[in-house]
Amino acid sequence: MGRMFRQLVSQLKRGHPHIPRIRRHAESLQHGLSGCKRRLLGTTRKEVSPEHLKRLNKLYGVAPINGLFNEHVIEFAADGSTSIKFSPKKEHCHSMGSLHGSGYFKLLDDAAFFAAQALDEENFIYTTSFNTYLVRAAAIGVPLISKGRVVSAGKTLQIAESRLIEEETGKLVATGSGTFQKSPHKIK
C-alpha cells in the first residue's frame, strides 16, 4: 500500500485532472493509513460544534429507556466519538449474576449511534442493523466504558463501531458495529 499511497500523493500535488476520483480512492484506503498521511490527503474528520454536542447530551438524557438503567454518563470528543460510563447493578443482570445481553446491546448501540448522530446536525438518524459480539461476562458493580466511533460516513448511511471495556483493567467485554440511516425527522 505504501507505493500506491505515494503515487496518490504525487498526483494530488501535481494537480492531476482526476483529483476528486483520486481523493475518493485515497479515502477508501485511509483505514490503514496513519493520522499523518490522512492529514496530507485532507481526510481527517472535522470537529463537531459544541452546541450540537450539548443537544445530543440532552437527547440522551431524556430518552425514556435510560430510566431503566442506573446513572450513566455520555461524553463526546471534539470529533464526535463517544464514551459511555456505566456500572451494572443487580437489576441489570440475568439469573447467573452478570449483565443481561440487552445491557451489552444498549451500551454498544448507544455509543455507536451517538458517534454517528454527532455527524448529522439536522436530521435524526436511526439504527438499521447492529451486530453484537460478547467476549466476557460483565459482573455487578464493575465499571464499564463503551466507546463509539464512525468508520464510514455517506450522505444518508453511516457505519459505526463500539467497544465495551472494563474501566479499571481495560479488558475487552464486547464489541459491536452497526449501520445508521438518516431520517426525515429534524433534531429539535
Side-chain angles (χ1 to χ4, degrees):
M1 184 164 67
R3 182 179 57 82
M4 186 178 291
F5 176 77
R6 285 190 296 276
Q7 286 175 340
L8 288 170
V9 170
S10 172
Q11 290 173 348
L12 285 170
K13 286 181 179 176
R14 287 194 316 254
H16 195 278
H18 300 293
I19 285 179
R21 191 183 84 217
I22 293 167
R23 188 172 300 279
R24 280 193 307 275
H25 181 66
E27 287 172 357
S28 72
L29 293 173
Q30 81 177 2
H31 179 70
L33 301 178
S34 70
C36 176
K37 290 177 182 176
R38 286 186 198 140
R39 282 189 296 279
L40 232 164
L41 289 170
T43 58
T44 57
R45 290 179 54 185
K46 65 175 186 163
E47 286 193 8
V48 178
S49 77
E51 295 80 25
H52 181 55
L53 296 180
K54 285 179 187 174
R55 284 198 325 249
L56 292 181
N57 217 332
K58 183 179 177 186
L59 184 69
Y60 185 75
V62 299
I65 186 72
N66 288 335
L68 300 175
F69 287 79
N70 61 316
E71 292 182 19
H72 52 290
V73 178
I74 186 167
E75 297 172 348
F76 293 93
D79 68 353
S81 57
T82 59
S83 294
I84 299 173
K85 295 183 178 185
F86 174 76
S87 294
K89 291 185 177 180
K90 186 177 179 181
E91 58 266 23
H92 305 117
C93 296
H94 54 60
S95 58
M96 294 305 293
S98 62
L99 184 62
H100 186 273
S102 62
Y104 291 93
F105 173 81
K106 177 166 180 10
L107 294 167
L108 292 166
D109 178 58
D110 282 358
F113 168 85
F114 279 95
Q117 184 65 73
L119 298 183
D120 193 326
E121 296 192 18
E122 294 180 21
N123 295 75
F124 184 76
I125 63 167
Y126 54 91
T127 306
T128 58
S129 70
F130 200 84
N131 295 307
T132 304
Y133 305 96
L134 309 182
V135 177
R136 69 173 30 88
I140 295 171
V142 175
L144 303 171
I145 299 177
S146 184
K147 297 181 178 195
R149 70 182 188 99
V150 173
V151 294
S152 178
K155 289 182 180 180
T156 60
L157 189 70
Q158 298 178 45
I159 300 171
E161 64 184 17
S162 51
R163 296 171 50 87
L164 183 63
I165 59 172
E166 292 180 353
E167 184 175 20
E168 294 172 5
T169 65
K171 288 182 180 178
L172 181 65
V173 175
T175 65
S177 64
T179 56
F180 302 89
Q181 179 76 40
K182 184 177 190 173
S183 81
H185 305 290
K186 301 294 182 191
I187 296 177
K188 298 176 183 179

